Amino acid sequence: PERKGFLVTFKIEEGQQYRIGSIDFRSSIPNFDASSMRSYSRVSIGSLYNVESVEKSVEEMQIEASRRGYAFAVVRPGGDRNFEAHTVAIVFNIDEGPRTYIERINIRGNTRTRDYVIRREFDISEGDAYNRALVDRAERRLKNLDFFKSVKISTEPGSSSDRVVLIVDLEEKSTGDFSISGGYSTTDGALAEVSISERNLLGRGLYGKASVSYGQYSRGISLSFVEPYLLDYRMALGMDVYWRQQLANSYTSYGVTTLGFSPRVGIALREDLTLQLRYSLYQQSITLASAYNNCNNNASNTSLAYNPTPAYIKSVLGGVDPTNSTGSGVYGYGCYGDGESSLPVRKELANGATWTSAIGYTLSYNTLDNTKNPTDGLLIDFRQDFAGVGGDVTYLKSAMDAKYYAPLVSEIVGVIHLQGGILNKIGDQDLRMLDHFQMGPNLVRGFASNGIGPRDITYASLGASGDALGGTKYWGASMELQMPFWFLPKEVGLKGAVYADAGSLWGYQGPTSWSATGEVNTKACPTCGLQYDDGNVVRSSVGVGLIWASPFGPLRFDYAVPITKGKYDTVQEFRFGGGTSF
């Protein structure tokens, strides 16, 4: 009474969960085989009863019935509960619905977006039979375009009792972005990026983006363009042009410059299944840091952290004099001591710029409830690339990545991440080191970038830290729990995570010897050989993480402790990154 109003309390009690005991299909339409709809059901016997799965099953069946010529078919689910056994017997009834046709589709509220951009998201048009499932699907597609603040499709009576008018009410929003962002990651160092993008270019639904990034160890320029409806078919045509430069850092003794372009075509096979076909043409070249190119291994040289004398190296090499006539210590490649460049690196440097021409595809299955912050669903990507359509290298590279999200209790989300890949050699040509898989925290957290797998140990006895060589096979598995901080408001955007990772990378198949020419000291090294560690050791770690949806972009902080590792793996327990988008 003191507030002059009512307090309304909604009391929600969690009831007993039910499982599906049986599934049946019945049809009242002549000559319609109801059992043929079984493959379109999203529910199965023994699974937990879930209303959303039943509704998706109804939608798939109703659309399939329309494809078969039964435009007015209506699928109605029914359920009979067994209170003692806690099961539900589901029956999908397929009946002939009222014959109603679409008279018009009226679109309101689009001041910038062209009408045809909206209409092409419908699988029905004026004059077609009215199908509520197809209308709901069009509404979801329009929302997923991210062009509008709100989308609502309603119906009004038409000029006769068997006619309806579809009303599409829209509220447009800004689709252009100009951003200046910066951040720091333990791999790329300090990094800044300027980008401009437009998701609805000229109101035609086109996508374009241009970005420039400059950082301590990483720089790049990229241009992207996507036409989502090629020749008025639901087929996306995209094009990427890019230049990237990765400089030598504490993890690698060399830098890589990449210049290339990649056209691609994306095809929606189903609502949850897409196929992308692509072609890639790019040039790669290796550069060495000037300190590594010009260092000498005499007693006065202090440019390297570890600098043994020529006499000591001579004793290790079994009496071979490592010096040349000038007294420098270039034995085959690189400098002695920490930071030397490996034989495969020097070979890539001598070969000069290399062109790669490859065709490939990616098959994606996506049932995630939210692509930016998923809490439920499955995402599986399988990709293959074949290099050898011209160019200087040949190989077949296959990789699979699967993530499963499941809501548990009290807003806790469980994540299972599985990944694996294989690189196959084609013909007699050696695989390049740059074409091998390079793994680190992207496979098992707690390790440095390129910190896992085969590594050059040619000068391990001298205390040298050789380059990571990469491998042709890898696998990884991870389990993670993500949970909010219940004592903080949701608007803060902070979540915690605990996880356990395991995986391995092995199978180096690059060059292991190189006949001495040019820069190589022929007296010390008639044929320079590579010694490397390639043990298929299971790496594992456990850790905790902090995930922050900050105003500057997504940030993640991880602290992981390796449990098992290879003898020459590089550990990095703390890692964080973010603040930029690519």
Side-chain angles (χ1 to χ4, degrees):
E2 62 274 10
R3 298 189 186 182
K4 297 182 179 180
F6 294 91
L7 295 179
V8 180
T9 302
F10 294 92
K11 186 177 181 181
I12 302 173
E13 296 182 355
E14 184 178 5
Q16 177 68 41
Q17 286 187 323
Y18 280 70
R19 294 190 176 270
I20 297 174
S22 64
I23 304 173
D24 195 13
F25 300 84
R26 300 172 186 172
S27 172
S28 63
I29 303 175
N31 302 322
F32 188 93
D33 183 10
S35 61
S36 64
M37 290 292 172
R38 188 174 298 274
S39 60
Y40 298 93
S41 173
R42 298 286 187 95
V43 296
S44 58
I45 296 175
S47 63
L48 283 174
Y49 177 77
N50 185 307
V51 174
E52 184 179 1
S53 297
V54 174
E55 290 175 349
K56 288 183 178 179
S57 300
V58 169
E59 178 183 324
E60 293 291 336
M61 294 178 195
Q62 201 158 310
I63 292 173
E64 177 59 22
S66 297
R67 291 196 186 104
R68 297 182 185 183
Y70 299 91
F72 303 101
V74 177
V75 181
R76 297 184 176 93
D80 185 14
R81 283 194 292 177
N82 186 323
F83 294 95
E84 295 180 356
H86 299 295
T87 60
V88 179
I90 297 179
V91 177
F92 291 102
N93 297 292
I94 305 168
D95 303 315
E96 185 77 25
R99 293 181 175 270
T100 308
Y101 297 89
I102 298 174
E103 184 172 333
R104 294 190 313 278
I105 299 178
N106 292 339
I107 303 173
R108 303 187 301 209
N110 58 317
T111 57
R112 180 167 178 267
T113 306
R114 309 292 178 94
D115 271 15
Y116 73 86
V117 173
I118 299 166
R119 290 179 180 274
R120 68 190 183 187
E121 299 300 331
F122 286 80
D123 291 325
I124 51 178
S125 58
E126 284 93 342
D128 290 344
Y130 174 76
N131 188 312
R132 186 65 220 180
L134 293 177
V135 173
D136 291 342
R137 174 173 287 187
E139 185 172 325
R140 284 201 306 274
R141 286 174 175 169
L142 289 172
K143 290 178 179 178
N144 290 336
L145 289 177
D146 201 23
F147 298 168
F148 312 105
K149 288 183 180 179
S150 63
V151 178
K152 183 180 180 181
I153 301 179
S154 57
T155 59
E156 292 181 355
S159 57
S160 60
S161 60
D162 63 345
R163 297 287 189 271
V164 295
V165 177
L166 291 185
I167 306 297
V168 184
D169 287 304
L170 307 167
E171 183 182 357
E172 291 187 317
K173 67 179 182 180
S174 174
T175 55
D177 292 305
F178 175 77
S179 64
I180 302 176
S181 56
Y184 182 87
S185 75
T186 49
T187 302
D188 297 327
L191 189 69
E193 182 187 51
V194 177
S195 69
I196 182 170
S197 65
E198 173 59 66
R199 298 190 304 276
N200 188 14
L201 191 62
L202 303 176
R204 300 175 183 270
L206 306 174
Y207 173 83
K209 180 178 180 180
S211 67
V212 177
S213 62
Y214 189 90
Q216 188 175 356
Y217 301 120
S218 177
R219 293 115 193 234
I221 300 173
S222 67
L223 299 172
S224 298
F225 176 80
V226 178
E227 163 57 85
Y229 275 78
L230 180 62
L231 302 176
D232 290 329
Y233 290 99
R234 192 165 283 129
M235 184 167 59
L237 173 65
M239 172 71 75
D240 297 310
V241 180
Y242 53 89
W243 173 83
R244 292 193 297 265
Q245 186 179 48
Q246 188 72 37
L247 303 180
N249 52 47
S250 57
Y251 303 114
T252 57
S253 68
Y254 60 93
V256 180
T257 301
T258 305
L259 174 65
F261 81 99
S262 177
R264 61 189 188 276
V265 174
I267 305 169
L269 304 179
R270 289 189 339 195
E271 287 293 303
D272 54 6
L273 188 65
T274 59
L275 174 67
Q276 183 191 87
L277 306 175
R278 60 181 170 274
Y279 170 74
S280 300
L281 178 66
Y282 57 90
Q283 182 194 68
Q284 283 185 310
S285 58
I286 277 185
T287 56
L288 300 182
S290 58
Y292 300 152
N293 279 320
N294 302 314
C295 56
N296 292 325
N297 244 335
N298 51 40
S300 63
N301 188 352
T302 58
S303 62
L304 297 177
Y306 182 83
N307 188 24
T309 64
Y312 175 67
I313 299 172
K314 180 177 179 180
S315 66
V316 173
L317 298 178
V320 178
D321 184 3
T323 62
N324 56 25
S325 59
T326 62
S328 64
V330 181
Y331 174 73
Y333 53 91
C335 302
Y336 300 116
D338 290 342
E340 70 177 44
S341 296
S342 298
L343 179 148
V345 177
R346 286 285 172 171
K347 186 170 183 179
E348 291 287 343
L349 185 67
N351 289 339
T354 303
W355 284 95
T356 299
S357 176
I359 57 174
Y361 71 92
T362 298
L363 191 63
S364 297
Y365 177 74
N366 188 344
T367 63
L368 297 181
D369 59 342
N370 188 308
T371 55
K372 292 184 178 180
N373 185 26
T375 60
D376 190 16
L378 179 64
L379 174 62
I380 301 176
D381 286 335
F382 177 76
R383 59 182 297 153
Q384 281 191 308
D385 289 279
F386 170 72
V389 190
D392 302 318
V393 298
T394 57
Y395 61 77
L396 176 64
K397 184 178 287 189
S398 308
M400 185 275 295
D401 192 286
K403 292 182 180 179
Y404 175 66
Y405 295 83
L408 302 177
V409 294
S410 300
E411 299 182 85
I412 297 176
V413 177
V415 184
I416 297 176
H417 185 192
L418 302 176
Q419 52 183 319
I422 184 169
L423 174 64
N424 296 107
K425 180 179 177 180
I426 297 178
D428 299 328
Q429 186 178 3
D430 281 338
L431 292 171
R432 297 191 312 153
M433 184 195 69
L434 292 180
D435 295 327
H436 283 63
F437 296 111
Q438 294 283 2
M439 293 292 166
N442 54 330
L443 190 69
V444 181
R445 285 163 285 196
F447 293 87
S449 179
N450 299 347
I452 293 174
R455 186 172 296 275
D456 179 10
I457 60 171
T458 305
Y459 296 118
S461 60
L462 303 182
S465 176
D467 286 312
L469 304 177
T472 58
K473 303 176 184 69
Y474 75 91
W475 67 269
S478 173
M479 297 182 64
E480 179 170 307
L481 293 177
Q482 298 179 358
M483 62 208 73
F485 293 105
W486 294 280
F487 53 87
L488 293 176
K490 286 187 177 182
E491 293 76 14
V492 175
L494 274 176
K495 293 192 298 184
V498 294
Y499 52 82
D501 297 345
S504 185
L505 171 69
W506 74 101
Y508 173 73
Q509 294 184 21
T512 57
S513 62
W514 185 21
S515 296
T517 57
E519 65 173 44
V520 179
N521 181 358
T522 56
K523 176 183 177 182
C525 181
T527 300
C528 295
L530 172 71
Q531 299 178 37
Y532 61 96
D533 175 67
D534 195 8
N536 185 9
V537 179
V538 176
R539 284 83 172 178
S540 62
S541 67
V542 294
V544 296
L546 182 65
I547 307 168
W548 182 27
S550 75
F552 315 104
L555 296 174
R556 175 151 183 159
F557 303 81
D558 281 295
Y559 180 78
V561 178
I563 299 175
T564 59
K565 64 185 183 71
K567 182 178 179 181
Y568 300 98
D569 289 345
T570 306
V571 173
Q572 185 186 55
E573 295 182 345
F574 178 71
R575 179 180 177 86
F576 72 94
T580 57
S581 58
F582 298 93

